[in-house]
Amino acid sequence: MTETRELSAIPSPGLEGSAHTVVVPVGSFEQHGPHLPLDTDTRIARAVSNELPGVVVAPALEYGASGEHEGFAGTISIGAEVMEMVVVEYGRSAFRWAKRVLFVNGHGGNGPALAKAVALLRYEGRDAAWVPCAVPGADAHAGKTETSLLLHLSPECVDMNLAEVGNISPISDLMPGLRSGGMVAVSDNGVLGDPVQASAVDGAHIFDELVQRVTDGLARWSPGPDGRLR
């Protein structure tokens, strides 16, 4: 096989006759406050995917289930039902030649659709799995955690002059409002957390730990009942 790890750059014959693990970054196209780009989740998922050893990395799925953010301009959501169908059909096609497929998810709202889709793929005998880009103790959306990650990964896309504190209430307290009225019902600026104190140094540390968790899960390859790597 060619030395490149980008699936899009490998000629078809270079994929024949060997077992491959294909990693698919899964993101979203949604508002991330006044200071972060709309493709924040995709950038994070792609960056994590590119650090994983022994895999080929497919082009990202850049749209997801982001209905809760549709009160803000720029957001484009394909909904959970379509998201689930896309992942199922993607997997069915990829498994005609791939050994394994791992969906690396950068947007929490994609989780339920991924869980259903990957569980079905596994029921059909395909060795699929998914893993979230989860950070323990992170604030919920466009706060210090994501802003720090973007300052590390894509500093040119972050405008800290526009960063402002959002709703800092615990996410458990906000969920009823989020479910009934979306993000706009609980945050005027689309931020849950405090991005003002974010830094590239913190972002590098968060990213390294995130990559290590996903790498460890990939090495164990022990999907749970919903296909999530443990």
Short mmCIF file of all heavy atoms in Angstrom, two decimals, residues 66-108:
data_model
loop_
_atom_site.label_atom_id
_atom_site.label_comp_id
_atom_site.label_asym_id
_atom_site.label_seq_id
_atom_site.Cartn_x
_atom_site.Cartn_y
_atom_site.Cartn_z
N SER A 66 -27.73 18.51 14.32
CA SER A 66 -27.48 19.75 15.06
C SER A 66 -28.72 20.59 15.22
O SER A 66 -28.64 21.83 15.29
CB SER A 66 -26.39 20.57 14.35
OG SER A 66 -25.19 19.84 14.21
N GLY A 67 -29.87 19.95 15.28
CA GLY A 67 -31.12 20.69 15.33
C GLY A 67 -31.22 21.67 16.49
O GLY A 67 -31.88 22.71 16.39
N GLU A 68 -30.53 21.36 17.60
CA GLU A 68 -30.61 22.23 18.76
C GLU A 68 -29.94 23.58 18.53
O GLU A 68 -30.14 24.53 19.30
CB GLU A 68 -29.97 21.55 19.98
CG GLU A 68 -28.48 21.36 19.93
CD GLU A 68 -28.04 20.07 19.23
OE1 GLU A 68 -28.85 19.51 18.45
OE2 GLU A 68 -26.89 19.65 19.45
N HIS A 69 -29.15 23.69 17.45
CA HIS A 69 -28.44 24.94 17.17
C HIS A 69 -29.08 25.74 16.03
O HIS A 69 -28.53 26.76 15.61
CB HIS A 69 -26.98 24.65 16.82
CG HIS A 69 -26.20 24.06 17.95
ND1 HIS A 69 -25.72 24.81 19.01
CD2 HIS A 69 -25.84 22.78 18.21
CE1 HIS A 69 -25.09 24.03 19.87
NE2 HIS A 69 -25.15 22.79 19.41
N GLU A 70 -30.22 25.31 15.53
CA GLU A 70 -30.79 25.94 14.35
C GLU A 70 -31.36 27.33 14.61
O GLU A 70 -31.75 28.02 13.67
CB GLU A 70 -31.84 25.03 13.73
CG GLU A 70 -31.23 23.84 13.01
CD GLU A 70 -32.25 22.92 12.37
OE1 GLU A 70 -33.32 22.70 12.97
OE2 GLU A 70 -31.97 22.43 11.27
N GLY A 71 -31.39 27.77 15.87
CA GLY A 71 -31.78 29.13 16.16
C GLY A 71 -30.70 30.14 15.84
O GLY A 71 -30.92 31.35 15.98
N PHE A 72 -29.52 29.66 15.42
CA PHE A 72 -28.39 30.54 15.11
C PHE A 72 -28.02 30.41 13.64
O PHE A 72 -27.98 29.30 13.09
CB PHE A 72 -27.18 30.18 15.97
CG PHE A 72 -27.37 30.45 17.44
CD1 PHE A 72 -27.95 29.50 18.26
CD2 PHE A 72 -26.96 31.66 17.98
CE1 PHE A 72 -28.12 29.74 19.62
CE2 PHE A 72 -27.14 31.92 19.33
CZ PHE A 72 -27.72 30.96 20.16
N ALA A 73 -27.72 31.54 13.01
CA ALA A 73 -27.37 31.57 11.59
C ALA A 73 -26.14 30.72 11.31
O ALA A 73 -25.21 30.67 12.12
CB ALA A 73 -27.13 33.01 11.14
N GLY A 74 -26.13 30.09 10.16
CA GLY A 74 -24.99 29.28 9.72
C GLY A 74 -25.15 27.81 9.98
O GLY A 74 -24.57 26.99 9.26
N THR A 75 -25.93 27.45 10.98
CA THR A 75 -26.09 26.03 11.31
C THR A 75 -26.84 25.31 10.20
O THR A 75 -27.86 25.79 9.70
CB THR A 75 -26.88 25.88 12.63
OG1 THR A 75 -26.14 26.49 13.69
CG2 THR A 75 -27.14 24.42 12.95
N ILE A 76 -26.34 24.13 9.84
CA ILE A 76 -27.02 23.26 8.88
C ILE A 76 -27.05 21.86 9.49
O ILE A 76 -26.00 21.27 9.75
CB ILE A 76 -26.32 23.22 7.52
CG1 ILE A 76 -26.30 24.62 6.89
CG2 ILE A 76 -27.00 22.22 6.59
CD1 ILE A 76 -25.52 24.71 5.61
N SER A 77 -28.24 21.35 9.73
CA SER A 77 -28.42 20.03 10.34
C SER A 77 -29.11 19.09 9.37
O SER A 77 -30.05 19.49 8.68
CB SER A 77 -29.26 20.17 11.62
OG SER A 77 -29.59 18.90 12.14
N ILE A 78 -28.64 17.85 9.32
CA ILE A 78 -29.33 16.85 8.50
C ILE A 78 -30.25 15.98 9.35
O ILE A 78 -30.95 15.11 8.81
CB ILE A 78 -28.34 15.97 7.71
CG1 ILE A 78 -27.41 15.19 8.66
CG2 ILE A 78 -27.53 16.82 6.75
CD1 ILE A 78 -26.50 14.20 7.94
N GLY A 79 -30.27 16.18 10.66
CA GLY A 79 -31.18 15.44 11.53
C GLY A 79 -30.67 14.05 11.88
O GLY A 79 -29.86 13.45 11.17
N ALA A 80 -31.18 13.54 13.00
CA ALA A 80 -30.70 12.26 13.51
C ALA A 80 -31.08 11.09 12.60
O ALA A 80 -30.29 10.16 12.42
CB ALA A 80 -31.25 12.03 14.91
N GLU A 81 -32.27 11.13 12.03
CA GLU A 81 -32.72 10.00 11.20
C GLU A 81 -31.86 9.87 9.94
O GLU A 81 -31.41 8.78 9.58
CB GLU A 81 -34.18 10.18 10.81
CG GLU A 81 -34.75 9.00 10.03
CD GLU A 81 -36.22 9.14 9.74
OE1 GLU A 81 -36.85 10.09 10.25
OE2 GLU A 81 -36.77 8.29 9.00
N VAL A 82 -31.61 10.99 9.27
CA VAL A 82 -30.76 10.96 8.08
C VAL A 82 -29.33 10.61 8.45
O VAL A 82 -28.66 9.83 7.75
CB VAL A 82 -30.82 12.31 7.34
CG1 VAL A 82 -29.78 12.36 6.22
CG2 VAL A 82 -32.21 12.54 6.77
N MET A 83 -28.86 11.16 9.56
CA MET A 83 -27.52 10.85 10.03
C MET A 83 -27.35 9.35 10.22
O MET A 83 -26.35 8.74 9.79
CB MET A 83 -27.27 11.57 11.36
CG MET A 83 -25.92 11.32 11.99
SD MET A 83 -24.66 12.29 11.16
CE MET A 83 -23.20 11.63 11.94
N GLU A 84 -28.32 8.72 10.85
CA GLU A 84 -28.27 7.27 11.07
C GLU A 84 -28.22 6.52 9.74
O GLU A 84 -27.42 5.59 9.57
CB GLU A 84 -29.50 6.84 11.88
CG GLU A 84 -29.54 5.36 12.19
CD GLU A 84 -30.78 4.98 12.98
OE1 GLU A 84 -31.46 5.87 13.52
OE2 GLU A 84 -31.08 3.77 13.04
N MET A 85 -29.05 6.92 8.80
CA MET A 85 -29.08 6.26 7.49
C MET A 85 -27.76 6.42 6.76
O MET A 85 -27.26 5.47 6.13
CB MET A 85 -30.22 6.83 6.65
CG MET A 85 -31.61 6.49 7.17
SD MET A 85 -32.91 7.34 6.25
CE MET A 85 -32.64 6.67 4.60
N VAL A 86 -27.17 7.60 6.82
CA VAL A 86 -25.90 7.85 6.14
C VAL A 86 -24.81 6.94 6.70
O VAL A 86 -24.03 6.32 5.95
CB VAL A 86 -25.48 9.33 6.28
CG1 VAL A 86 -24.03 9.53 5.86
CG2 VAL A 86 -26.39 10.21 5.44
N VAL A 87 -24.74 6.83 8.02
CA VAL A 87 -23.70 6.00 8.64
C VAL A 87 -23.89 4.53 8.30
O VAL A 87 -22.92 3.81 8.01
CB VAL A 87 -23.68 6.23 10.16
CG1 VAL A 87 -22.73 5.24 10.85
CG2 VAL A 87 -23.26 7.66 10.48
N VAL A 88 -25.13 4.07 8.31
CA VAL A 88 -25.40 2.67 7.95
C VAL A 88 -24.95 2.38 6.52
O VAL A 88 -24.24 1.40 6.25
CB VAL A 88 -26.89 2.33 8.15
CG1 VAL A 88 -27.21 0.97 7.51
CG2 VAL A 88 -27.24 2.30 9.63
N GLU A 89 -25.37 3.22 5.58
CA GLU A 89 -25.04 2.97 4.18
C GLU A 89 -23.55 3.16 3.92
O GLU A 89 -22.95 2.44 3.11
CB GLU A 89 -25.86 3.87 3.26
CG GLU A 89 -27.34 3.56 3.29
CD GLU A 89 -27.64 2.11 2.92
OE1 GLU A 89 -26.95 1.55 2.03
OE2 GLU A 89 -28.55 1.52 3.52
N TYR A 90 -22.93 4.10 4.61
CA TYR A 90 -21.48 4.29 4.51
C TYR A 90 -20.78 3.00 4.94
O TYR A 90 -19.89 2.49 4.25
CB TYR A 90 -21.06 5.45 5.41
CG TYR A 90 -19.62 5.88 5.26
CD1 TYR A 90 -19.30 7.08 4.65
CD2 TYR A 90 -18.57 5.08 5.73
CE1 TYR A 90 -17.98 7.48 4.51
CE2 TYR A 90 -17.25 5.48 5.60
CZ TYR A 90 -16.96 6.68 4.99
OH TYR A 90 -15.67 7.08 4.84
N GLY A 91 -21.17 2.47 6.09
CA GLY A 91 -20.55 1.26 6.58
C GLY A 91 -20.76 0.07 5.67
O GLY A 91 -19.82 -0.68 5.38
N ARG A 92 -21.97 -0.11 5.19
CA ARG A 92 -22.25 -1.24 4.30
C ARG A 92 -21.38 -1.19 3.06
O ARG A 92 -20.90 -2.22 2.57
CB ARG A 92 -23.73 -1.25 3.92
CG ARG A 92 -24.66 -1.68 5.04
CD ARG A 92 -26.11 -1.47 4.68
NE ARG A 92 -27.00 -2.01 5.70
CZ ARG A 92 -28.30 -1.75 5.77
NH1 ARG A 92 -28.87 -0.96 4.84
NH2 ARG A 92 -29.05 -2.28 6.72
N SER A 93 -21.15 0.00 2.54
CA SER A 93 -20.32 0.14 1.35
C SER A 93 -18.84 -0.07 1.68
O SER A 93 -18.14 -0.82 1.00
CB SER A 93 -20.53 1.53 0.74
OG SER A 93 -19.77 1.68 -0.44
N ALA A 94 -18.37 0.56 2.74
CA ALA A 94 -16.95 0.46 3.08
C ALA A 94 -16.53 -0.96 3.41
O ALA A 94 -15.40 -1.37 3.11
CB ALA A 94 -16.62 1.38 4.26
N PHE A 95 -17.45 -1.72 4.02
CA PHE A 95 -17.09 -3.07 4.42
C PHE A 95 -17.01 -4.06 3.26
O PHE A 95 -16.69 -5.22 3.46
CB PHE A 95 -18.04 -3.59 5.50
CG PHE A 95 -17.63 -3.17 6.89
CD1 PHE A 95 -18.33 -2.20 7.56
CD2 PHE A 95 -16.54 -3.75 7.51
CE1 PHE A 95 -17.95 -1.80 8.84
CE2 PHE A 95 -16.14 -3.36 8.77
CZ PHE A 95 -16.85 -2.38 9.44
N ARG A 96 -17.22 -3.60 2.05
CA ARG A 96 -16.97 -4.46 0.90
C ARG A 96 -15.46 -4.71 0.72
O ARG A 96 -15.07 -5.65 0.03
CB ARG A 96 -17.57 -3.86 -0.37
CG ARG A 96 -19.09 -3.87 -0.36
CD ARG A 96 -19.65 -3.34 -1.65
NE ARG A 96 -21.10 -3.43 -1.66
CZ ARG A 96 -21.81 -4.49 -2.05
NH1 ARG A 96 -21.15 -5.58 -2.46
NH2 ARG A 96 -23.11 -4.49 -2.03
N TRP A 97 -14.64 -3.83 1.35
CA TRP A 97 -13.18 -4.02 1.23
C TRP A 97 -12.44 -3.75 2.53
O TRP A 97 -11.33 -4.23 2.70
CB TRP A 97 -12.63 -3.11 0.13
CG TRP A 97 -12.98 -1.66 0.31
CD1 TRP A 97 -14.09 -1.03 -0.18
CD2 TRP A 97 -12.25 -0.68 1.04
NE1 TRP A 97 -14.09 0.29 0.21
CE2 TRP A 97 -12.96 0.53 0.96
CE3 TRP A 97 -11.05 -0.71 1.76
CZ2 TRP A 97 -12.53 1.70 1.58
CZ3 TRP A 97 -10.62 0.46 2.37
CH2 TRP A 97 -11.36 1.65 2.26
N ALA A 98 -13.03 -3.01 3.45
CA ALA A 98 -12.34 -2.68 4.70
C ALA A 98 -12.55 -3.76 5.75
O ALA A 98 -13.59 -4.44 5.77
CB ALA A 98 -12.85 -1.34 5.24
N LYS A 99 -11.56 -3.92 6.62
CA LYS A 99 -11.67 -4.88 7.72
C LYS A 99 -12.49 -4.30 8.86
O LYS A 99 -13.38 -4.95 9.41
CB LYS A 99 -10.28 -5.25 8.23
CG LYS A 99 -10.29 -6.16 9.45
CD LYS A 99 -8.87 -6.39 9.97
CE LYS A 99 -8.90 -7.25 11.24
NZ LYS A 99 -7.53 -7.40 11.81
N ARG A 100 -12.19 -3.05 9.23
CA ARG A 100 -12.87 -2.37 10.32
C ARG A 100 -13.15 -0.93 9.90
O ARG A 100 -12.41 -0.35 9.10
CB ARG A 100 -12.03 -2.35 11.60
CG ARG A 100 -11.91 -3.68 12.30
CD ARG A 100 -10.93 -3.59 13.46
NE ARG A 100 -10.98 -4.79 14.29
CZ ARG A 100 -10.08 -5.07 15.23
NH1 ARG A 100 -9.08 -4.22 15.46
NH2 ARG A 100 -10.19 -6.17 15.94
N VAL A 101 -14.19 -0.35 10.50
CA VAL A 101 -14.48 1.07 10.32
C VAL A 101 -14.74 1.68 11.69
O VAL A 101 -15.55 1.17 12.46
CB VAL A 101 -15.70 1.29 9.40
CG1 VAL A 101 -16.04 2.79 9.34
CG2 VAL A 101 -15.44 0.76 8.00
N LEU A 102 -14.02 2.76 11.97
CA LEU A 102 -14.19 3.48 13.22
C LEU A 102 -14.64 4.90 12.92
O LEU A 102 -13.96 5.65 12.22
CB LEU A 102 -12.87 3.52 14.01
CG LEU A 102 -12.88 4.37 15.28
CD1 LEU A 102 -13.85 3.79 16.31
CD2 LEU A 102 -11.48 4.49 15.86
N PHE A 103 -15.79 5.27 13.47
CA PHE A 103 -16.31 6.62 13.34
C PHE A 103 -15.85 7.43 14.56
O PHE A 103 -16.20 7.08 15.70
CB PHE A 103 -17.83 6.61 13.24
CG PHE A 103 -18.36 5.89 12.02
CD1 PHE A 103 -18.69 4.55 12.09
CD2 PHE A 103 -18.50 6.55 10.81
CE1 PHE A 103 -19.18 3.87 10.98
CE2 PHE A 103 -18.98 5.88 9.69
CZ PHE A 103 -19.32 4.54 9.77
N VAL A 104 -15.07 8.48 14.33
CA VAL A 104 -14.57 9.34 15.40
C VAL A 104 -15.47 10.57 15.45
O VAL A 104 -15.45 11.41 14.55
CB VAL A 104 -13.10 9.72 15.17
CG1 VAL A 104 -12.63 10.72 16.22
CG2 VAL A 104 -12.23 8.47 15.18
N ASN A 105 -16.26 10.68 16.51
CA ASN A 105 -17.32 11.68 16.57
C ASN A 105 -16.92 12.92 17.35
O ASN A 105 -16.57 12.86 18.53
CB ASN A 105 -18.55 11.05 17.23
CG ASN A 105 -19.70 12.03 17.31
OD1 ASN A 105 -19.92 12.82 16.39
ND2 ASN A 105 -20.43 11.99 18.42
N GLY A 106 -17.03 14.08 16.69
CA GLY A 106 -16.70 15.33 17.33
C GLY A 106 -17.87 16.12 17.86
O GLY A 106 -17.68 17.16 18.50
N HIS A 107 -19.10 15.66 17.62
CA HIS A 107 -20.31 16.39 18.04
C HIS A 107 -21.21 15.49 18.87
O HIS A 107 -21.69 14.47 18.38
CB HIS A 107 -21.07 16.90 16.81
CG HIS A 107 -22.41 17.47 17.11
ND1 HIS A 107 -22.61 18.43 18.07
CD2 HIS A 107 -23.63 17.20 16.58
CE1 HIS A 107 -23.90 18.74 18.13
NE2 HIS A 107 -24.52 18.00 17.23
N GLY A 108 -21.44 15.89 20.12
CA GLY A 108 -22.24 15.06 21.02
C GLY A 108 -23.62 14.75 20.51
O GLY A 108 -24.17 13.67 20.76
#
